[in-house]
Amino acid sequence: MTQPSATVIRGTLEAMSAGASPESGATPVVAYVPDLMDRSRVEIAGRAAGLSIDFVAHPEDLAVAVGDGVRFVVVDLAHAGVLDVLPRLPPAHTIGFASHVDKGLLDAARAAGCDEVMARSAVFRRLARPRGTPSP
């Protein structure tokens, strides 16, 4: 059985900034952020940090979309299927976010292999930090 191709929704980041591609130095990111408000905030923060973000429509698409050159994965942990796919992702630094009051979900994401787990409010600040800037 062949792997299905990912349903990738191209972020508007590339259209908004010239050179938003791995060849031009932008850091490639794949994200599953279905909430439109959160997606917009991820795009704005990513653009400020020089990221090239591709959004996927379903959590299962992450494993297919995370390919060569993708350094970061951003996921909204509050949606069904995300925790199941985390252990199957190819190597990339994974940043997951959810409500700060959902400690059980945040702990489960850490256990599933998420490299950074944070509250929804913190993820936008994290993405806007310039590349190579250490976490506070």
Side-chain angles (χ1 to χ4, degrees), residues 4-74:
S5 61
T7 305
V8 177
I9 303 168
R10 201 53 136 165
T12 58
L13 220 68
E14 290 182 316
M16 295 172 71
S17 62
S21 67
E23 296 81 26
S24 67
T27 301
V29 177
V30 172
Y32 172 67
V33 184
D35 179 86
L36 293 178
M37 288 296 290
D38 288 343
R39 182 183 297 186
S40 174
R41 292 180 72 190
V42 166
E43 283 185 317
I44 291 167
R47 181 177 54 237
L51 304 176
S52 172
I53 303 177
D54 286 335
F55 291 92
V56 297
H58 307 283
E60 310 83 50
D61 296 335
L62 286 166
V64 177
V66 177
D68 291 340
V70 173
R71 296 194 42 218
F72 295 97
V73 175
V74 178

Side-chain angles (χ1 to χ4, degrees), residues 88-114:
R88 299 192 313 259
L89 292 181
H93 188 85
T94 305
I95 301 169
F97 67 92
S99 171
H100 70 284
V101 298
D102 202 342
K103 184 164 173 22
L105 178 60
L106 297 173
D107 290 342
R110 282 185 196 91
C114 203

Side-chain angles (χ1 to χ4, degrees), residues 1-5 64:
M1 179 184 249
T2 61
Q3 256 186 336
S5 61
V64 177

